Structure formats: structure tokens, C-alpha cells
């Protein structure tokens, strides 16, 4: 059993938090606001910048309570200027005591240009900056205009590969008003063939382990299956690797908390993202939970593979999609 101590718990539920939700049109701002509303925030969309300062400086409720707020601000907002919004946030953080005492966080939703273009095409909606031009032109122009906010953001979430459910789960954990721990840990498995996860802070390559893909009986299974677990653990290199991994994380995690980091993503990758990385991620998440940590477990590419199977790929396409190399 690990001696890793849980991160310090929050003393009280948060009531004075303001989450400013911004980012690219089509990246999921509306879904984000709804998810925050579901966990106790009062959601306000497209609040004019000129009124934002008044809201932040406004008095508490008659009972002395400040309500947690989720405010949507993007390129469509009246009098929107990225530099002006960034300056307002900085001024609020540096306000004199007794003026703005809000816990203000800027959340930026990002997304790949191609994914955004596809979303606008599928929903038949016009991009707000592309009324008379191709949608990709509008996306690129918007990205330029809001670049200062991405640089200033407290957190950037890339929604390119997130389902609405993934986004809700992440927000419920990371923006909970009664958090249990100071740092939210995400353990994520992925396929190197699909690219490195952008949100990863620590990445570990487990492609050196015996590959269950080459066992015909194990190939249709994933890393959560006991037979796959036994296969991976039978590799003489697994236990020394896992012991060294946990021994390294044990002193690192408290240091991340001391540095004020709120989110930490540990990513484990293999070739196909279905067997070795999934099993090691499951094992690592269990170790962290036994040590008292709050953990989000995500199997990025396994979940996408399962989705493709449910959507009715032909057997030939399915075999191609699950093909792995050494």
C-alpha cells in the first residue's frame, strides 16, 4: 500500500467563484454553461463586457452569500474585445481589499479547425464571422481575435475528441463547488497512432510490454478484461516498471499541489490504445484511489473504437481500425 498522502481537502464549499467561459464558436460553450449550471452555478450567457465589472463588484445577497457564477463571453458578445476582457480580469485579481473578492477563473474552450468546420456543416449554422465567406475563414479570423484570452486562460480544454458526456464529467470534477482535493488527477490511456493527448502533463510509453493483439483469443478484448491483465502482467518488465512509476509519482504529486497546480493529467500510451495502455491506466488509477486521491479515468481511443463498433462498421473496416504494429 502506498504512503502517498491525500492532497489537502478544501475547507469550505466555494460560493464566490466566477467561471468566465470563452473560446472558439462551436467548441462547446453552451454545453459547458449548462453543465456548470447543473452543478450549482448561476449561468449567464453573452453578458456585455461593460456590465461584467458591475456584476463582479456587485453586493452579496441579503444573507451575505455570493452566488457562484458561470458567464459565457465570446466573439458574439456586445462590445467584445479580447484585450479588454483580459485586462478586466487582471484588474479584478489585483483589486484592493474590500472591492472585488471573487475567485475568478477564465476557462477557454479550444477545438481543431477541421472539427469546428464539420460541426458548423452538420448543424447548418453560420459561423458568426463567416456570414459572407467560407466557414474556415471565419474560424481562422476568430482564432486570431481571441488569441489573447487563450494565453491568459487559467485552463484550456480541447473539445476536439470529447463527447458531451466527457465534457460534463470533466467539469463536474474540476469545477465542483465542494471539491474534496486541491488537485484533480486524470489518468488517460491513448493510442500513439491517434496522436499524443494535448492535455497530458506526464506521458509514459508502455509499448515495450507484451502485446495482447498478437494473441487471437485476446485481440477482441480490451485492457479491462482479466485475461488481458494476466497477459500484460506476465511480462517480466511490467512489475519493475509499475513499481518505479509509482515510486516516482509518490514524491511528485504533493509538489504539484504545493506549486498551485489544480489539474494534472497522466497519460499512458500504446500502439492501439485498447490493451496495454488501458490496463496500466486502470492499475494506476486504482493505486491512486487507494492512496486517497480523486481520479478521473479516461480511455480516449478505446472509447472511440467502441463507438465505431456500435455505429456499424463492416468487419473489414473494424479489422483495419484495430490493426496494431509492434
Amino acid at each position: 500500500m502506498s504512503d502517498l498522502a491525500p492532497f489537502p481537502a478544501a475547507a469550505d464549499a466555494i460560493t464566490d467563484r466566477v467561471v468566465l467561459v470563452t473560446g472558439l464558436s462551436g467548441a462547446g460553450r453552451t454545453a459547458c454553461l449548462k453543465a456548470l449550471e447543473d452543478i450549482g452555478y448561476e449561468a449567464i450567457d453573452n453578458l456585455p463586457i461593460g456590465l461584467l465589472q458591475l456584476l463582479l463588484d456587485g453586493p452579496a445577497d441579503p444573507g451575505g452569500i455570493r452566488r457562484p457564477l458561470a458567464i459565457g463571453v465570446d466573439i458574439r458578445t456586445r462590445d467584445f474585445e479580447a484585450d479588454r476582457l483580459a485586462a478586466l480580469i487582471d484588474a479584478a485579481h489585483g483589486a484592493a481589499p474590500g472591492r472585488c473578492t471573487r475567485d475568478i477563473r477564465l476557462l477557454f474552450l479550444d477545438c481543431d479547425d477541421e472539427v469546428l468546420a464539420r460541426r458548423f456543416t452538420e448543424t447548418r449554422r453560420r459561423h458568426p464571422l463567416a456570414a459572407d465567406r467560407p466557414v474556415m475563414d471565419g474560424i481562422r479570423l476568430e482564432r486570431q481575435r481571441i488569441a489573447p484570452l487563450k494565453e491568459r486562460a487559467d485552463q484550456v480544454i480541447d473539445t476536439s475528441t470529447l463527447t458531451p458526456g466527457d465534457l460534463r464529467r470533466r467539469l463536474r470534477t474540476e469545477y465542483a463547488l465542494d471539491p474534496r482535493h486541491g488537485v484533480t488527477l486524470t489518468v488517460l490511456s491513448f493510442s500513439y497512432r491517434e496522436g499524443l493527448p494535448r492535455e497530458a502533463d506526464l506521458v509514459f510509453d508502455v509499448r515495450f510490454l507484451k502485446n495482447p493483439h498478437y494473441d487471437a483469443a485476446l485481440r477482441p478484448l480490451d485492457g479491462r478484461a482479466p485475461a488481458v491483465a494476466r497477459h500484460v502482467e506476465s511480462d517480466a518488465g511490467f512489475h519493475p516498471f509499475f513499481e518505479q512509476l509509482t515510486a516516482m509519482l509518490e514524491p511528485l504529486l504533493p509538489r504539484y499541489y504545493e506549486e498551485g497546480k489544480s489539474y494534472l493529467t497522466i497519460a499512458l500510451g500504446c500502439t492501439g490504445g485498447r490493451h496495454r495502455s488501458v490496463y496500466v491506466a486502470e492499475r494506476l488509477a486504482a493505486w491512486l484511489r487507494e492512496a486517497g486521491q480523486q481520479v478521473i479515468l479516461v480511455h480516449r481511443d478505446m472509447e472511440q473504437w467502441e463507438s465505431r463498433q456500435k455505429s456499424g462498421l463492416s468487419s473489414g473496416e473494424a479489422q483495419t481500425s484495430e490493426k496494431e504494429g509492434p
Side-chain angles (χ1 to χ4, degrees), residues 49-81:
I49 303 298
L51 297 179
L52 181 57
Q53 184 68 66
L54 295 176
L55 184 62
L56 295 179
D57 290 342
D61 287 354
I65 299 175
R66 286 185 179 272
R67 302 293 181 184
L69 301 174
I71 303 174
V73 182
D74 69 0
I75 200 74
R76 299 172 302 161
T77 300
R78 181 155 53 90
D79 66 9
F80 175 85
E81 292 180 18

XYZ file of all heavy atoms in Angstrom, residues 49-81:
250
model
N -19.571 43.158 -22.001
C -18.362 43.390 -21.220
C -18.543 44.569 -20.269
O -18.056 44.567 -19.143
C -17.154 43.644 -22.150
C -16.969 42.474 -23.113
C -15.896 43.870 -21.336
C -16.673 41.163 -22.459
N -19.283 45.583 -20.732
C -19.489 46.759 -19.902
C -20.229 46.461 -18.608
O -20.107 47.210 -17.633
N -21.026 45.391 -18.586
C -21.777 45.035 -17.382
C -21.035 44.033 -16.504
O -21.435 43.809 -15.354
C -23.136 44.434 -17.774
C -24.097 45.353 -18.531
C -25.388 44.610 -18.857
C -24.403 46.603 -17.708
N -19.989 43.432 -17.050
C -19.289 42.394 -16.297
C -18.650 42.949 -15.036
O -18.755 42.350 -13.961
C -18.221 41.743 -17.193
C -17.402 40.618 -16.552
C -18.312 39.508 -16.054
C -16.390 40.066 -17.552
N -18.000 44.118 -15.138
C -17.379 44.707 -13.960
C -18.404 45.004 -12.877
O -18.157 44.780 -11.690
C -16.646 45.991 -14.353
C -15.869 46.632 -13.194
C -14.688 45.786 -12.768
O -13.753 45.610 -13.531
N -14.728 45.261 -11.561
N -19.570 45.509 -13.287
C -20.622 45.811 -12.312
C -21.060 44.540 -11.595
O -21.304 44.544 -10.385
C -21.818 46.448 -13.015
C -21.583 47.826 -13.644
C -22.833 48.282 -14.394
C -21.200 48.843 -12.576
N -21.139 43.440 -12.326
C -21.561 42.173 -11.726
C -20.506 41.657 -10.749
O -20.838 41.184 -9.650
C -21.821 41.137 -12.818
C -22.355 39.786 -12.353
C -23.699 39.941 -11.676
C -22.471 38.831 -13.536
N -19.246 41.771 -11.131
C -18.183 41.290 -10.256
C -18.093 42.106 -8.972
O -17.787 41.577 -7.904
C -16.843 41.338 -10.992
C -16.698 40.420 -12.211
C -15.333 40.603 -12.857
C -16.910 38.960 -11.826
N -18.356 43.410 -9.066
C -18.255 44.292 -7.902
C -19.562 44.358 -7.117
O -19.610 44.994 -6.065
C -17.893 45.711 -8.339
C -16.466 45.795 -8.849
O -15.695 44.874 -8.551
O -16.148 46.765 -9.552
N -20.611 43.714 -7.633
C -21.919 43.829 -7.021
C -21.965 43.259 -5.619
O -21.138 42.433 -5.225
N -22.952 43.711 -4.823
C -23.052 43.246 -3.428
C -23.499 41.795 -3.354
O -24.042 41.240 -4.301
C -24.120 44.180 -2.843
C -24.966 44.553 -4.027
C -24.024 44.641 -5.189
N -23.268 41.208 -2.213
C -23.725 39.842 -1.974
C -25.224 39.837 -1.754
O -25.871 40.889 -1.660
C -23.010 39.273 -0.749
N -25.805 38.646 -1.690
C -27.227 38.523 -1.395
C -27.514 39.083 0.004
O -26.593 39.261 0.816
C -27.636 37.052 -1.447
C -27.677 36.539 -2.875
O -27.494 37.354 -3.795
O -27.882 35.335 -3.076
N -28.806 39.364 0.303
C -29.146 39.880 1.638
C -28.587 39.018 2.767
O -28.249 39.513 3.832
C -30.674 39.878 1.629
C -31.023 40.067 0.188
C -29.971 39.321 -0.577
N -28.447 37.702 2.503
C -27.904 36.822 3.531
C -26.390 36.838 3.603
O -25.789 36.079 4.370
N -25.750 37.684 2.801
C -24.302 37.756 2.815
C -23.624 36.725 1.929
O -22.412 36.521 2.027
N -24.380 36.064 1.074
C -23.837 34.991 0.232
C -23.633 35.498 -1.194
O -24.508 36.135 -1.765
C -24.788 33.777 0.212
C -24.956 33.219 1.629
C -24.267 32.696 -0.723
C -25.974 32.106 1.715
N -22.487 35.221 -1.729
C -22.232 35.485 -3.145
C -22.478 34.201 -3.922
O -21.911 33.163 -3.587
C -20.800 35.947 -3.358
C -20.518 37.367 -2.905
C -19.101 37.739 -3.281
N -18.764 39.097 -2.901
C -18.975 40.162 -3.670
N -19.526 39.994 -4.858
N -18.640 41.364 -3.279
N -23.300 34.261 -4.923
C -23.616 33.072 -5.704
C -22.497 32.755 -6.692
O -21.951 33.666 -7.327
C -24.922 33.290 -6.472
C -26.124 33.610 -5.590
C -26.496 32.420 -4.739
N -27.660 32.714 -3.899
C -28.165 31.881 -2.997
N -27.598 30.707 -2.830
N -29.213 32.220 -2.290
N -22.145 31.483 -6.840
C -21.169 31.122 -7.876
C -21.760 31.359 -9.256
O -22.924 31.032 -9.512
C -20.916 29.632 -7.617
C -22.124 29.160 -6.882
C -22.605 30.323 -6.068
N -20.984 31.945 -10.144
C -21.477 32.334 -11.458
C -20.673 31.657 -12.563
O -19.461 31.475 -12.441
C -21.378 33.850 -11.637
C -22.134 34.739 -10.648
C -21.788 36.204 -10.899
C -23.635 34.512 -10.757
N -21.362 31.304 -13.639
C -20.722 30.850 -14.876
C -21.188 31.799 -15.969
O -22.386 31.878 -16.263
C -21.119 29.417 -15.199
N -20.261 32.554 -16.550
C -20.610 33.609 -17.500
C -19.990 33.300 -18.858
O -18.774 33.135 -18.978
C -20.118 34.980 -17.004
C -20.714 35.284 -15.617
C -20.488 36.074 -17.994
C -20.159 36.546 -14.986
N -20.839 33.212 -19.865
C -20.363 32.961 -21.224
C -20.031 34.247 -21.948
O -20.861 35.163 -22.010
N -18.823 34.332 -22.473
C -18.373 35.518 -23.205
C -17.621 35.042 -24.443
O -16.653 34.286 -24.333
C -17.438 36.399 -22.351
C -17.030 37.635 -23.137
C -18.087 36.782 -21.034
N -18.067 35.474 -25.617
C -17.338 35.090 -26.824
C -17.450 36.187 -27.874
O -17.886 37.299 -27.589
C -17.806 33.730 -27.358
C -19.215 33.769 -27.927
O -19.850 34.850 -27.922
O -19.692 32.715 -28.384
N -17.073 35.864 -29.091
C -16.981 36.854 -30.150
C -18.316 37.517 -30.458
O -18.374 38.638 -30.970
C -16.397 36.202 -31.433
C -15.834 37.263 -32.380
C -17.420 35.326 -32.122
C -14.546 37.846 -31.913
N -19.433 36.848 -30.093
C -20.758 37.416 -30.370
C -21.208 38.407 -29.313
O -22.213 39.104 -29.490
C -21.788 36.286 -30.471
C -21.526 35.279 -31.580
C -22.484 34.116 -31.452
N -22.348 33.492 -30.146
C -23.272 32.704 -29.597
N -24.397 32.471 -30.227
N -23.066 32.166 -28.406
N -20.490 38.447 -28.179
C -20.880 39.319 -27.076
C -20.759 40.789 -27.477
O -19.774 41.199 -28.097
C -19.982 39.048 -25.852
O -20.140 37.680 -25.461
C -20.350 39.950 -24.699
N -21.770 41.573 -27.124
C -21.744 43.003 -27.442
C -20.549 43.677 -26.795
O -20.212 43.405 -25.667
C -23.056 43.655 -26.961
C -23.157 45.138 -27.261
C -24.608 45.569 -27.333
N -25.361 45.181 -26.150
C -25.487 45.950 -25.073
N -24.884 47.131 -25.021
N -26.219 45.543 -24.054
N -19.876 44.516 -27.483
C -18.657 45.258 -27.119
C -17.496 44.331 -26.742
O -16.645 44.672 -25.920
C -18.915 46.308 -26.023
C -19.313 45.741 -24.658
O -19.238 44.520 -24.453
O -19.688 46.543 -23.784
N -17.454 43.156 -27.378
C -16.397 42.200 -27.072
C -15.051 42.668 -27.607
O -14.914 43.047 -28.775
C -16.719 40.831 -27.695
C -15.617 39.816 -27.513
C -15.538 39.061 -26.357
C -14.648 39.627 -28.496
C -14.531 38.133 -26.174
C -13.631 38.712 -28.329
C -13.571 37.962 -27.160
N -14.055 42.647 -26.730
C -12.660 42.874 -27.100
C -11.823 41.984 -26.198
O -11.893 42.085 -24.971
C -12.261 44.336 -26.912
C -12.926 45.302 -27.874
C -12.469 46.732 -27.617
O -11.421 46.903 -26.949
O -13.156 47.664 -28.069
